C-alpha cells in the first residue's frame, strides 16, 4: 500500500506551480492546478474583487493573501500537473474513481501514476 503523504511530497511541481507554492504553499498550488489547470490564469490583485473572493474560498484567507501579495496581477500558465494532483488527492483520502472523475482521466491512469510514484 502506498504512503500518500510521502508520495505527494515527492511529486515535483512544474515551474509556475512551484512559484505559487513559494508564496502560498504546496497545497494551494495543487488546488489551483485542479481548479485552473490547462489555461492562463490571472492572479487576483485584490481580495475584495470577485476573483479575490473566489481565491479565498478556494485556498483559505492566509494562503490567498500571500499569493495575491506575491503574484497579484500576474498571468500564469497553470499546467494540468495531473501526476502531482493525483498524488495530492490520494494523500487527502480520495479514491481512485473520485480522482479519475475530478481530473477526467481513466482510473487506470490514476493507478499507474500511483504505481510509478511508489517505484521511485
Amino acid at each position: 500500500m502506498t504512503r500518500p503523504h510521502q508520495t505527494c511530497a515527492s511529486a515535483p511541481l512544474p515551474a509556475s506551480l512551484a512559484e505559487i507554492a513559494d508564496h502560498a504553499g504546496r497545497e494551494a498550488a495543487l488546488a489551483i492546478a485542479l481548479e485552473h489547470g490547462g489555461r492562463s490564469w490571472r492572479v487576483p490583485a485584490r481580495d475584495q474583487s470577485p476573483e479575490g473572493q473566489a481565491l479565498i474560498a478556494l485556498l483559505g484567507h492566509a494562503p490567498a493573501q500571500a499569493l495575491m501579495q506575491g503574484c497579484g496581477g500576474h498571468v500564469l500558465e497553470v499546467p494540468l500537473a495531473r501526476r502531482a494532483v493525483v498524488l495530492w488527492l490520494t494523500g487527502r483520502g480520495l479514491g481512485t474513481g473520485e480522482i479519475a472523475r475530478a481530473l477526467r482521466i481513466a482510473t487506470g491512469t490514476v493507478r499507474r501514476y500511483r504505481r510509478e510514484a511508489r517505484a521511485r
Side-chain angles (χ1 to χ4, degrees):
M1 175 133 223
T2 186
R3 288 194 207 162
H5 301 93
Q6 290 179 348
T7 303
C8 179
S10 68
L13 293 177
S16 61
L17 291 183
E19 180 180 355
I20 292 169
D22 287 345
H23 293 285
R26 185 178 180 87
E27 292 270 336
L30 292 167
I32 288 170
L34 183 60
E35 183 75 18
H36 299 288
R39 62 180 181 224
S40 297
W41 176 65
R42 181 179 300 279
V43 179
R46 296 183 24 236
D47 62 356
Q48 298 304 314
S49 69
E51 296 84 4
Q53 291 297 305
L55 185 62
I56 290 169
L58 178 65
L59 305 180
H61 194 266
Q65 284 290 353
L67 184 58
M68 286 186 276
Q69 267 190 327
C71 297
H74 295 149
V75 176
L76 301 176
E77 296 299 322
V78 181
L80 294 172
R82 287 183 175 146
R83 285 178 195 276
V85 173
V86 163
L87 300 177
W88 172 60
L89 293 175
T90 298
R92 296 185 76 195
L94 273 72
T96 302
E98 293 171 295
I99 294 169
R101 282 188 298 280
L103 296 176
R104 297 180 184 255
I105 60 177
T107 56
T109 302
V110 173
R111 287 191 293 273
R112 186 179 81 237
Y113 288 170
R114 289 174 175 162
R115 187 174 55 248
E116 289 171 353
R118 281 192 306 268
R120 285 188 218 146

